[in-house]
Amino acid sequence: MKMSKMFVQTLREFPSDAEVVSHKMLVRAGYIRKLTMGVYNYLPLMWRVIRKVENIIREEMDRAGAQELLMPFVQPKELWEESGRWGAYGAELMRLKDRHNREMCLGPTHEEIITSIARDVLKSYKQLPVNLYQIQSKFRDERRPRFGLLRGREFIMKDAYSFGTSQEELDKEYKNMWNAYTRIFKRCGLETKAVQSDSGAIGGSVSHEFMVITDTDAGENDVFYCDDCNYAANSNHATSKLPFAKISGDWTEAKIVDTPNTHSIEELCEFLKIPATVIVKSLVYIVDKNPVIAIIRADKAVEETKLMNAVGGTDIRIATAEEIEDIMVKNGFDAERGFIGPNGLTEYNGTPIQFVADETVKDMKNFVIGINKKDMHLVGGNWGKDVELPQNIADIRLAEAGELCPNCGKPLKVTRGIEVGNIFQLGTKYSKPMNAVYLDANGKTQPYIMGCYGIGVTRTAAAAVEAHYDEHGIKWPLSIAPYHVVVIPVSTKDELQMKVANDIYNTLVKHGVEAVLDDRDERAGVKFKDADLIGFPYRITVGKTITEGLVEFKVRETEELSNIKPEEAAEIVVTAVTNMK
Ligand code: ATP
Ligand code: MG
């Protein structure tokens, strides 16, 4: 490829709306252009990267025994009604109607479609197990599309679905996919950590996310992990053991005390001269429009996904001050945030108020708790006597670094991660409601035992930028770089330089290297800047030293420079590319 012909426009500045490195770099270096919120054009350089990521995925999925197919992007409502997700999937599902007023959606994921295909074809246990995958565009009307390709609304995903006859078969395929994922990300130049996670809208019980660990804003997940054993979990799933704490107050009897202006836990602790560990706090949430009160030890925070799962819902948020006031008034109280408690709260606008107690509160004694009266608290309270312990007791607590590993008891650490892949054990979550069955060896119908396995293709490419860059631009891993090498003649007017540059370029191309010849009549500085920004793994510069038979060879990853013979430079690149294949 001649640079003069290449469809690329690099920018002088980073785009002003970009917050994270990959977004900034990919726009500035001419890889992507935004079409509308969360929707991007993949320009030729980006498309080359995407195709390389896809091909690595393809090779490894095929090697693992999966078979590729392609399902439509537009899906009919009827299948989603069969699975029960037409109602359950929240606002992320992009719904539309055709000219006959038939309802459809843009596929955010394809469990329903693949299950309908399977039940049509896989009628006997003899045909199982099977794993089918596709690489396809997905659409999710994300609440906050951001960070360029990391969280788009339209994005490319590889999604695979396995069908089997037993949990053992599923376990085996799950491990098989786990190993394939490890290889895929490694080949893309990414180190990943597999962490336990919540299954979210996909469902099922066991699931793991593959995280690229990063200390930047691009890591939207908090990952808790233990260095001593292999425990690692997303914050929406992480559990921990708590170090010893005083969880019983010193009062000998329950009484109501004045606690003026103690809106925060700190103020209440200060006023009563007690640690937060003897206070039970009550927080008001709205889950799918319904009020839910979370009750937890006051020094701990609620993890919203865990709380949402404890009551079953698809959307959660903390209640506003106005909503809290309204709930209070409608239950005959006038308290505000800081004084809320479960006693006396029953319903709100015709819906019963639900209560969930975190496991941390059940052993607390002689505690302090809100009683829905402004500037007052109950102290010395006990479950059963003064306050009912809710029946719904669950782990709804956000783990914290320094708490103890649930496996081995060593202190947990926390870091941030970008989720590039996710594997799920679905069991019969789709096969049962969709009546997707096969005949077993005894002639009995059985639902398939399913798994599903996703990789964000475009997110993986962006994550690779997050993991490989410097202030000058991208440092693509060789395996997914749009081109392997750029050959730069310093002066296009210099005949010798041009001849050697052309010779090197031709040799490289002949040996299967994807090379670019920067034949533009530009200053060398401009060409070097673009080469760094675009992120070619290797740069061969043909300048004045060619009269001594030497070119400058640069390795982008390490920024190492050396003056070597043209044949040597070509040889290094050819060898690196050959070894990679
Ligand atoms: P997230 O928690 O980041 O919203 P998810 O858990 O909902 O993602 P999955 O349903 O597990 O996503 O989808 C499989 C993979 O698709 C993810 O691991 C991720 O790599 C990718 N992916 C999901 N949502 C997006 C998005 N909005 N933009 C780009 N890639 C995405
Ligand atoms: Mg996921």
Side-chain angles (χ1 to χ4, degrees):
M1 167 59 68
K2 304 272 167 66
M3 194 76 169
S4 58
K5 296 272 183 299
M6 192 148 108
F7 185 87
V8 61
Q9 169 90 66
T10 56
L11 308 177
R12 264 169 211 276
E13 307 283 341
F14 288 121
S16 56
D17 65 337
E19 299 163 83
V20 297
V21 165
S22 58
H23 187 191
K24 288 181 187 170
M25 297 276 178
L26 290 173
V27 172
R28 184 165 165 204
Y31 285 79
I32 57 172
R33 286 289 180 273
K34 181 162 146 182
L35 178 62
T36 182
M37 202 180 35
V39 181
Y40 288 86
N41 290 302
Y42 309 124
L43 302 184
L45 283 177
M46 191 71 226
W47 190 237
R48 290 181 75 92
V49 174
I50 291 173
R51 273 179 21 224
K52 289 192 178 182
V53 174
E54 288 183 352
N55 281 337
I56 291 174
I57 293 175
R58 234 174 229 123
E59 280 175 28
E60 295 300 337
M61 290 300 291
D62 291 348
R63 189 207 301 261
Q67 297 172 61
E68 187 173 1
L69 48 52
L70 185 62
M71 293 175 269
F73 183 43
V74 176
Q75 310 184 1
K77 170 187 173 184
E78 288 70 28
L79 280 179
W80 283 72
E81 282 183 324
E82 280 191 46
S83 72
R85 283 208 295 183
W86 186 259
Y89 215 101
E92 274 183 24
L93 188 64
M94 184 81 168
R95 297 155 211 254
L96 52 139
K97 280 185 186 162
D98 69 8
R99 63 166 73 196
H100 306 292
N101 233 8
R102 281 190 287 249
E103 291 188 272
M104 329 271 248
C105 64
L106 301 183
T109 173
H110 279 71
E111 283 78 12
E112 283 77 3
I113 316 302
I114 198 80
T115 307
S116 79
I117 296 173
R119 74 182 169 192
D120 198 38
V121 177
L122 304 170
K123 310 250 186 206
S124 155
Y125 72 98
K126 290 182 191 148
Q127 296 166 283
L128 299 167
V130 169
N131 189 340
L132 299 164
Y133 76 97
Q134 66 171 346
I135 297 177
Q136 162 72 296
S137 288
K138 297 279 186 272
F139 196 97
R140 294 182 181 179
D141 201 357
E142 297 272 350
R143 188 198 296 262
R144 279 190 75 193
R146 56 180 186 165
F147 300 167
L149 301 191
L150 286 175
R151 183 169 298 283
R153 292 198 299 162
E154 183 176 312
F155 57 95
I156 301 176
M157 197 202 284
K158 183 284 300 178
D159 43 327
Y161 306 86
S162 69
F163 299 85
T165 61
S166 65
Q167 180 61 39
E168 293 69 53
E169 236 167 43
L170 175 57
D171 286 339
K172 204 166 146 212
E173 191 55 19
Y174 194 76
K175 194 75 210 155
N176 183 30
M177 284 295 108
W178 180 308
N179 293 337
Y181 274 37
T182 309
R183 286 196 299 268
I184 288 166
F185 294 123
K186 195 156 184 211
R187 284 184 62 187
C188 291
L190 290 169
E191 283 298 325
T192 50
K193 205 180 197 47
V195 316
Q196 296 175 21
S197 71
D198 173 64
S199 300
I202 307 284
S205 48
V206 177
S207 74
H208 285 85
E209 290 165 344
F210 285 74
M211 295 282 184
V212 174
I213 300 305
T214 168
D215 52 9
T216 68
D217 285 348
E220 292 187 279
N221 301 272
D222 283 332
V223 174
F224 289 88
Y225 66 99
C226 173
D227 273 338
D228 282 80
C229 66
N230 275 333
Y231 183 77
N234 190 315
S235 57
N236 63 25
H237 199 77
T239 57
S240 59
K241 289 187 205 147
L242 292 179
F244 173 81
K246 176 182 167 74
I247 55 167
S248 183
D250 296 330
W251 297 275
T252 48
E253 59 180 32
K255 56 184 176 198
I256 294 170
V257 298
D258 287 335
T259 53
N261 297 318
T262 54
H263 290 274
S264 70
I265 297 297
E266 296 73 40
E267 285 163 339
L268 187 59
C269 290
E270 175 77 4
F271 185 82
L272 292 174
K273 305 276 178 279
I274 49 161
T277 50
V278 301
I279 303 173
V280 173
K281 83 178 159 189
S282 307
L283 300 164
V284 187
Y285 284 86
I286 306 291
V287 178
D288 297 342
K289 303 201 174 91
N290 303 317
V292 175
I293 309 242
I295 297 168
I296 188 166
R297 206 172 87 185
D299 61 322
K300 298 294 160 196
V302 168
E303 207 298 315
E304 294 189 357
T305 304
K306 288 185 182 178
L307 175 61
M308 187 171 78
N309 290 341
V311 293
T314 60
D315 191 55
I316 185 167
R317 61 177 175 82
I318 192 107
T320 63
E322 291 73 38
E323 283 167 328
I324 293 176
E325 194 189 323
D326 202 30
I327 292 170
M328 287 296 131
V329 169
K330 290 188 172 143
N331 282 273
F333 300 109
D334 72 344
E336 53 199 41
R337 209 171 262 167
F339 302 95
I340 312 297
N343 274 0
L345 298 180
T346 51
E347 59 164 59
Y348 180 56
N349 294 342
T351 324
I353 297 177
Q354 297 186 67
F355 299 90
V356 185
D358 181 63
E359 286 163 350
T360 48
V361 300
K362 67 174 193 291
D363 296 325
M364 289 174 70
K365 293 197 170 57
N366 306 322
F367 47 75
V368 179
I369 193 164
I371 47 170
N372 303 320
K373 293 207 172 104
K374 193 166 177 301
D375 294 341
M376 284 181 202
H377 278 88
L378 177 83
V379 300
N382 281 289
W383 300 119
K385 226 165 108 213
D386 309 295
V387 192
E388 268 325 300
L389 179 65
Q391 286 186 345
N392 192 350
I393 300 176
D395 170 13
I396 55 167
R397 183 169 57 85
L398 178 66
E400 273 174 56
E403 291 174 355
L404 310 177
C405 171
N407 287 349
C408 73
K410 297 276 161 44
L412 284 177
K413 293 183 176 167
V414 67
T415 180
R416 282 167 142 188
I418 302 170
E419 177 196 329
V420 285
N422 204 173
I423 56 178
F424 304 79
Q425 295 207 354
L426 296 173
T428 56
K429 169 157 167 98
Y430 295 90
S431 50
K432 264 207 181 134
M434 294 184 69
N435 198 25
V437 296
Y438 65 95
L439 286 178
D440 70 11
N442 304 317
K444 224 178 127 215
T445 58
Q446 303 281 2
Y448 310 118
I449 311 289
M450 292 172 57
C452 81
Y453 317 90
I455 291 181
V457 174
T458 38
R459 186 183 283 181
T460 297
V465 178
E466 296 288 339
H468 303 278
Y469 73 95
D470 66 10
E471 71 270 32
H472 305 299
I474 305 172
K475 296 177 164 186
W476 287 114
L478 190 60
S479 58
I480 61 171
Y483 291 93
H484 301 132
V485 56
V486 61
V487 182
I488 302 184
V490 169
S491 163
T492 44
K493 307 219 166 56
D494 184 306
E495 265 179 42
L496 179 61
Q497 286 184 24
M498 274 314 274
K499 182 184 176 308
V500 176
N502 261 306
D503 286 350
I504 298 173
Y505 172 77
N506 289 330
T507 308
L508 290 168
V509 171
K510 202 174 80 198
H511 286 88
V513 171
E514 298 166 21
V516 172
L517 178 68
D518 196 345
D519 57 340
R520 292 175 300 169
D521 185 16
E522 287 280 1
R523 282 183 297 115
V526 171
K527 298 187 192 181
F528 292 160
K529 272 215 164 96
D530 279 346
D532 280 353
L533 186 59
I534 291 170
F536 301 103
Y538 299 108
R539 187 182 87 191
I540 300 171
T541 309
V542 189
K544 285 203 184 108
T545 53
I546 197 58
T547 50
E548 300 152 38
L550 296 176
V551 296
E552 185 192 68
F553 186 71
K554 174 169 157 175
V555 181
R556 180 74 180 98
E557 180 66 37
T558 57
E559 291 282 284
E560 222 174 283
L561 287 171
S562 50
N563 286 306
I564 54 180
K565 290 188 197 137
E567 320 75 86
E568 275 181 79
E571 170 86 32
I572 295 172
V573 178
V574 170
T575 309
V577 170
T578 317
N579 288 347
M580 182 187 69
K581 287 175 182 163

